[in-house]
Amino acid sequence: MTEKIERLKTLIIGSGPAGYTAAIYAARADLKPVLYTGMEPGGQLTTTTEVDNFPGYPEGIDGPTMMVQLQQQAERFGTEVRIGMATAVEFSDEVGGIHKITIDDSKVIEAETVIISTGATAKYLGIPSEQKLRGGGVSACAVCDGFFYKGQDVAIVGAGDTAAEEASYLANICKKVTMLVRKDHMRASKAMQHRVESLDNIEIRYNTEVDTVLGDQVVEGLRMVNNVTGEKEDISITGLFIAIGHKPNTDIFKGQLEMDETGYVITKGKSTKTSKPGVFASGDVQDKEYRQAITAAGTGCMAALDAERYLATIESPEEVSKA
Ligand SMILES: Cc1cc2nc3c(=O)[nH]c(=O)nc-3n(C[C@H](O)[C@H](O)[C@H](O)COP(=O)(O)OP(=O)(O)OC[C@H]3O[C@@H](n4cnc5c(N)ncnc54)[C@H](O)[C@@H]3O)c2cc1C
């Protein structure tokens, strides 16, 4: 006997702040959402110890606890949270069309609306000493974690606009910022380069890479290597920021949705609408600018409201042309 295909009003893909916030709103609007967690239940915040900037937590909160609470809040209104990965999608081009999503290469789900909240993955160097000290002074988010290094010496790795922006951000808070640039020039725009160069407490080291992050439990220093001369040098730092880019988790949507040149899903105007009717995107998967938990949560709320309004127009056919 063939398994009956499940039909949902709203399917949410991803369990970070965007996905759970979308779930809270969708569930309270009676859209009976089902949310698939993906390979990282709770999303990026489960990789950090302290979240100090999410409104409503005066003492701060650790990332994994915050994500469990968000899940519980979504479940309280009836969201069904399931472990599983979306492995393929077939989005309809029609207003009111049904979207097909394959879970774990086996189960197919049909959904009237889909909210994509699959986030982005920060890139790391991948060397063992860096991996060992992730969360112990190695971070991929200066805006999130810079504050913890106020008045201290830190280093940042990267040469693009984001790295330059994050270096200037850190220079405002920290005593000294050493910026490691792999090539003999930066990729960042001229304006950003000038900004970095104009700050007295940023030292730019060209042709320089990380050899080893020093420290046992926490970062205590950095062994740098000049990739032209091979010369090594140790400096004393307490924080190392990796700013070499993010990869949006959008591989399964290629060819289905409009994306920018780096793979971020494009949303329309101030909405979360994608290029397919009934498919919405929220959080870091569509935002390479802000990438914060609160902005992800904000767009999660928007996606659920957009989905609810879209469904209302489908149910009132005279409104469909406006959708
Ligand atoms: C080390 C670190 C520290 C940070 N600290 C802070 C902080 O202090 N404050 C702050 O505001 N922000 C912080 N951030 C940024 C913040 O974590 C992100 O902006 C936020 O988590 C983005 O939320 P999101 O819901 O868009 O996606 P994510 O949190 O990235 O979650 C994506 C979700 O999608 C799921 N997924 C992916 N692909 C699939 C698939 N095919 N099928 C099903 N599910 C899938 C994943 O399993 C995951 O659950 C930090 C980030 C990092 C890396």
Side-chain angles (χ1 to χ4, degrees), residues 13-19 36-45 47-48 50-53 84-86 117-120 122 124 139-141 144-145 249 252 282-285 291-294 296:
I13 311 176
S15 57
Y36 276 93
T37 62
M39 66 297 184
E40 191 177 48
Q44 290 174 65
L45 283 185
T47 68
T48 190
E50 197 150 358
V51 180
D52 248 1
N53 53 9
M85 285 282 288
S117 311
T118 49
Y124 285 87
S139 168
C141 182
C144 314
D145 295 333
N249 300 318
I252 58 165
S282 61
D284 286 11
V285 74
R291 284 196 290 247
Q292 291 295 291
I294 186 67

Side-chain angles (χ1 to χ4, degrees), residues 4-265:
K4 194 166 170 275
I5 290 184
E6 186 179 13
R7 169 80 63 95
L8 303 174
K9 259 192 191 324
T10 302
L11 175 71
I12 299 169
I13 311 176
S15 57
Y20 280 137
T21 306
I24 292 166
Y25 276 77
R28 295 184 85 238
D30 209 24
L31 304 185
K32 303 195 170 24
V34 167
L35 178 150
Y36 276 93
T37 62
M39 66 297 184
E40 191 177 48
Q44 290 174 65
L45 283 185
T46 60
T47 68
T48 190
T49 43
E50 197 150 358
V51 180
D52 248 1
N53 53 9
F54 199 89
Y57 294 104
E59 305 305 326
I61 184 161
D62 73 280
T65 305
M66 180 178 151
M67 295 317 299
V68 167
Q69 291 182 353
L70 270 176
Q71 175 174 346
Q72 288 168 345
Q73 193 175 355
E75 286 175 330
R76 184 179 140 216
F77 301 111
T79 304
E80 194 181 329
V81 176
R82 298 180 187 166
I83 307 287
M85 285 282 288
T87 45
V89 296
E90 203 184 309
F91 293 142
S92 168
D93 291 317
E94 306 295 323
V95 173
I98 297 298
H99 308 293
K100 290 185 179 164
I101 303 90
T102 306
I103 305 294
D104 293 333
D105 290 317
S106 53
K107 180 183 170 73
V108 175
I109 290 185
E110 292 185 343
E112 290 172 53
T113 58
V114 179
I115 296 176
I116 297 170
S117 311
T118 49
T121 306
K123 291 182 192 162
Y124 285 87
L125 302 169
I127 58 175
S129 59
E130 173 215 49
Q131 294 301 309
K132 185 180 82 177
L133 291 166
R134 268 175 68 172
V138 173
S139 168
C141 182
V143 177
C144 314
D145 295 333
F147 182 79
F148 301 120
Y149 303 93
K150 200 172 179 177
Q152 301 173 34
D153 289 350
V154 299
I156 183 164
V157 181
D161 277 328
T162 305
E165 235 163 60
E166 297 205 339
S168 336
Y169 179 88
L170 290 168
N172 264 331
I173 311 169
C174 303
K175 196 161 116 212
K176 182 179 175 190
V177 181
T178 305
M179 185 172 188
L180 280 66
V181 175
R182 192 156 47 100
K183 296 192 176 157
D184 63 359
H185 61 276
M186 275 192 218
R187 259 187 310 111
S189 64
K190 284 279 176 259
M192 283 311 300
Q193 287 188 38
H194 289 147
R195 193 154 127 204
V196 168
E197 284 159 2
S198 71
L199 293 166
D200 290 341
N201 62 341
I202 299 184
E203 184 185 352
I204 308 170
R205 298 290 197 101
Y206 292 102
N207 293 316
T208 304
E209 297 179 40
V210 173
D211 179 86
T212 316
V213 190
L214 306 171
D216 194 21
Q217 304 290 324
V218 292
V219 172
E220 290 166 10
L222 187 67
R223 180 159 301 146
M224 306 183 291
V225 58
N226 183 304
N227 57 28
V228 176
T229 62
E231 206 177 306
K232 293 186 183 175
E233 185 186 341
D234 290 358
I235 55 168
S236 176
I237 55 162
T238 48
L240 175 66
F241 293 88
I242 310 296
I244 56 173
H246 285 75
K247 184 186 181 310
N249 300 318
T250 54
D251 287 354
I252 58 165
F253 308 118
K254 284 198 178 122
Q256 294 280 321
L257 294 178
E258 272 177 27
M259 295 180 196
D260 72 7
E261 66 292 348
T262 45
Y264 284 86
V265 175

Side-chain angles (χ1 to χ4, degrees), residues 265-275 279-282 286 298-299 302-303 305-307 309:
V265 175
I266 295 174
T267 49
K268 293 183 185 167
K270 286 185 181 166
S271 79
T272 61
K273 293 175 188 169
T274 69
S275 53
V279 180
F280 307 91
S282 61
Q286 51 84 56
T299 53
M302 289 163 61
L305 294 177
D306 284 342
R309 288 170 193 163

